[in-house]
Amino acid sequence: VMVMRYNGGPCGQSDNMQPDKSGCIDIGDGPPTDKGVESWITVTATKDPGITYFTGPVAVGENFELDDGGGRVEADMTVQIFEVDNSSGTPAPGAIIQDQFFHSSCSQNLFLKDRFGSVQLVAWLNGLQGFVTCFVDVEFAFTIVNGELGNPSDDTSSATLLSFITLTNLIGDGDGLVLRNFTDIVNGRTLQPGELFEFEAIFTIDATVRRFYTAISNLVGRNDDTNGICRVSSVLTFTAGADLTPVFPTKAPTLSPTSTAFPTINPELVDCDIDAEITCESNGKPCESSLKFPTVTCNGDVPNTMEFMFTGKECMDSIQSEALKDCSDENAIPEGTESVYVYISDDKFKDGPFFSGVVSKNEIFTANVAGERKLGIQISSAVNGGPGILYQAITTDTKCETDRKQLVTADLFGALQLTGFASDSQSVSGEASITLSYSVVNNDRYKTTINGANAYMSYEKTFFPPGSIELSKKGDNYLLGTYTKDVNLFELVNERERYSLNVTGFNTANENNICSDAVAYSVEIQGDTLV
């Protein structure tokens, strides 16, 4: 099964990777381009015209299905576009206006959105990939409440719903508002004060095109006590879809490569094109090159400070560190423990403490060991900010001489992991500060107004209020904002910090020409995998 969209128009708009396996000829003026105008389309097997996959009238903007009754289609198809002849009172094929063929067996690359003259591939079904389509169904829930939900009021009367319509560009190509009438669902329904009524509706959108969608809903009702008419409106806007980069070998859904610079812009929206951008820096360098954490061995000087992270592990989980002298599980750390009390001093517990306090799981903390050569560490339950039940007792060496026992970052000392240290000659840390910059760029030669931007920062949603920012020419860049945070490099080995930015705008001279873009960015580190 293959599904095609009839766009209308001439052969010159063909856009596919079959230069030797496809062809197209326009006869006369070629197919129409106005939406809703019908043509008669016939699709047959090229080597056997008796095999017909589709024949019938199709309006510009509509989809039609090519089906061989569940069997595999032939390797080559012929598509013929005719005028519709209504002279007999029954639609029939008239004069031919376009004749074309293409290869349909997938031995020649087929991409979603491939264009062959006036028709375009938008879905297919095969045994390997299943059903692959550009379109997704989006479910909307409409909620109507009489007054305040669940709170009947003496001031509120019962109401009878009369009509409900929605104007939206969720229907069709997304370029203009179309009316969807839900009056038959609501008409005559009575709502008592505080009562709720809900219904759902499905809209189908093209997921391979990023668009800004609008839904304007209008409800009309009647006050049952006064017979007065009341009206209320609601507006919903959102951006959905993604212009996907071509992938080789083909991974659906993808756009086909085009003769214009990617991304290929809808010709009707060519005068508005923006890019969302996220950049990341750490210590003045790009995060991609600066966030590295190879294991580091302490050589020479005794550390002045040592960094640890509480992991919750048992003594038996300790890595075979040369520096670990002793580890004893006095009492098992309960599963799910989120914080403990840590006390660090010399191994005789006479000098110090070098650190004492409550530490959360995966939290990095620093002990000012002041050149001490041996450490005694106690990990206890945290009770009112102080120590409770003793969980672990640890003794470790910190000498760092090249011919003696040495410290290595990532070593596990029972429930603590060494994440960093600093001496007179070395310094390494398991934490890094990153700064992300969020920007929008005008990618077109026309003046563009940016009217919306939102960012997701480590699962915290932050909205930028750009107001009416104008980008006058192509290449103009506006910094929406920055975000700085400390990251735990040990956690980033197994997980990524994820960030995203979505921006919307419109052509300053014509606000109906809207555009949007979205970008995702992941922060991850380079280096050895740490336990």
Side-chain angles (χ1 to χ4, degrees):
V1 173
M2 301 173 72
V3 180
M4 311 292 287
R5 167 160 289 192
Y6 181 45
N7 295 316
C11 293
Q13 63 187 319
S14 295
D15 188 2
N16 56 72
M17 291 190 65
Q18 297 190 13
D20 301 321
K21 289 286 188 175
S22 65
C24 181
I25 299 174
D26 289 318
I27 295 93
D29 294 331
T33 56
D34 294 333
K35 291 181 181 178
V37 176
E38 287 189 338
S39 299
W40 189 281
I41 300 179
T42 297
V43 184
T44 60
T46 300
K47 72 174 185 178
D48 185 0
I51 301 175
T52 301
Y53 299 118
F54 178 86
T55 184
V58 181
V60 174
E62 288 185 350
N63 298 339
F64 60 99
E65 184 177 298
L66 314 181
D67 191 4
D68 192 26
R72 294 175 117 186
V73 298
E74 291 293 330
D76 298 281
M77 288 187 180
T78 296
V79 181
Q80 294 180 309
I81 315 296
F82 304 85
E83 294 177 345
V84 175
D85 183 0
N86 290 307
S87 58
S88 65
T90 301
I96 188 169
I97 50 180
Q98 191 175 88
D99 194 3
Q100 55 165 294
F101 66 93
F102 68 95
H103 194 74
S104 52
S105 74
C106 291
S107 63
Q108 295 290 315
N109 279 342
L110 278 175
F111 294 78
L112 285 178
K113 291 307 188 71
D114 271 0
R115 287 178 180 257
F116 302 93
S118 59
V119 299
Q120 186 173 28
L121 179 62
V122 294
W124 68 71
L125 172 67
N126 63 32
L128 179 62
Q129 295 171 297
F131 187 62
V132 179
T133 178
C134 301
F135 305 105
V136 295
D137 289 335
V138 181
E139 182 177 274
F140 283 79
F142 296 90
T143 303
I144 304 170
V145 182
N146 183 11
E148 184 178 351
L149 178 62
N151 185 22
S153 170
D154 294 336
D155 298 329
T156 306
S157 304
S158 64
T160 299
L161 307 183
L162 302 178
S163 67
F164 192 106
I165 63 172
T166 295
L167 288 169
T168 180
N169 62 341
L170 288 162
I171 302 170
D173 292 329
D175 298 329
L177 297 180
V178 178
L179 185 146
R180 179 104 176 247
N181 196 337
F182 300 108
T183 297
D184 60 334
I185 296 177
V186 305
N187 182 254
R189 183 176 293 271
T190 299
L191 298 183
Q192 299 301 321
E195 186 179 358
L196 166 75
F197 173 65
E198 294 179 294
F199 67 92
E200 297 174 345
I202 301 294
F203 294 83
T204 300
I205 65 173
D206 188 341
T208 64
V209 177
R210 189 156 189 83
R211 285 196 176 101
F212 182 82
Y213 290 100
T214 301
I216 305 170
S217 298
N218 295 280
L219 171 68
V220 179
R222 182 181 63 240
N223 184 303
D224 290 342
D225 288 345
T226 66
N227 286 325
I229 300 299
C230 53
R231 294 177 172 83
V232 65
S233 297
S234 176
V235 179
L236 171 69
T237 60
F238 65 96
T239 301
D243 294 320
L244 301 180
T245 307
V247 179
F248 298 91
T250 302
K251 293 183 180 179
T254 63
L255 294 175
S256 65
T258 65
S259 57
T260 59
F262 183 82
T264 302
I265 307 302
N266 186 323
E268 298 181 15
L269 301 177
V270 71
D271 52 354
C272 183
D273 181 18
I274 55 178
D275 283 342
E277 293 186 352
I278 299 177
T279 58
C280 178
E281 287 190 351
S282 180
N283 296 321
K285 298 179 180 179
C287 291
E288 291 81 0
S289 60
S290 61
L291 292 183
K292 298 181 179 180
F293 200 96
T295 52
V296 176
T297 300
C298 177
N299 291 317
D301 299 325
V302 177
N304 298 313
T305 63
M306 296 175 67
E307 276 187 0
F308 295 98
M309 179 174 69
F310 170 57
T311 66
K313 295 182 180 295
E314 299 178 355
C315 285
M316 63 181 297
D317 296 318
S318 299
I319 294 178
Q320 295 300 312
S321 168
E322 294 182 348
L324 180 63
K325 297 189 68 176
D326 184 56
C327 182
S328 174
D329 287 311
E330 303 296 329
N331 292 281
I333 299 176
E335 185 176 352
T337 296
E338 292 299 322
S339 62
V340 294
Y341 185 88
V342 178
Y343 185 93
I344 302 177
S345 69
D346 70 299
D347 64 328
K348 304 299 183 182
F349 292 96
K350 294 181 179 180
D351 296 330
F354 306 135
F355 177 88
S356 63
V358 177
V359 177
S360 299
K361 191 170 185 179
N362 295 330
E363 177 186 350
I364 291 178
F365 63 95
T366 300
N368 295 308
V369 298
E372 184 65 41
R373 291 176 175 270
K374 293 181 180 179
L375 299 181
I377 303 172
Q378 291 182 335
I379 301 173
S380 309
S381 62
V383 179
N384 298 323
I389 299 172
L390 179 63
Y391 291 146
Q392 282 182 2
I394 303 167
T395 305
T396 183
D397 203 329
T398 65
K399 293 185 177 66
C400 288
E401 288 90 340
T402 55
D403 60 344
R404 303 284 300 268
K405 297 175 180 178
Q406 294 177 294
L407 294 169
V408 181
T409 54
D411 278 358
L412 277 170
F413 304 109
L416 297 185
Q417 186 168 32
L418 181 67
T419 62
F421 56 83
S423 66
D424 292 341
S425 59
Q426 288 178 288
S427 180
V428 61
S429 175
E431 288 187 314
S433 177
I434 64 171
T435 298
L436 294 109
S437 299
Y438 296 77
S439 304
V440 58
V441 180
N442 186 1
N443 203 34
D444 201 87
R445 63 183 183 275
Y446 299 101
K447 183 183 290 188
T448 300
T449 298
I450 308 302
N451 65 347
N454 62 74
Y456 295 82
M457 303 172 176
S458 297
Y459 308 103
E460 300 172 5
K461 186 174 182 180
T462 301
F463 288 94
F464 291 119
S468 55
I469 299 166
E470 289 191 354
L471 303 177
S472 298
K473 61 184 184 300
K474 185 172 183 178
D476 278 1
N477 182 305
Y478 183 85
L479 179 64
L480 294 161
T482 60
Y483 176 56
T484 300
K485 70 167 293 186
D486 292 331
V487 294
N488 184 329
L489 299 179
F490 280 73
E491 290 187 301
L492 285 181
V493 172
N494 300 314
E495 295 184 10
R496 298 179 179 182
E497 292 274 359
R498 292 176 171 84
Y499 306 87
S500 66
L501 172 65
N502 180 56
V503 292
T504 59
F506 58 87
N507 179 278
T508 305
N510 183 358
E511 62 181 20
N512 291 322
N513 287 336
I514 58 177
C515 53
S516 62
D517 190 40
V519 63
Y521 184 88
S522 295
V523 177
E524 56 186 315
I525 74 165
Q526 307 295 321
D528 298 337
T529 299
L530 308 180
V531 178

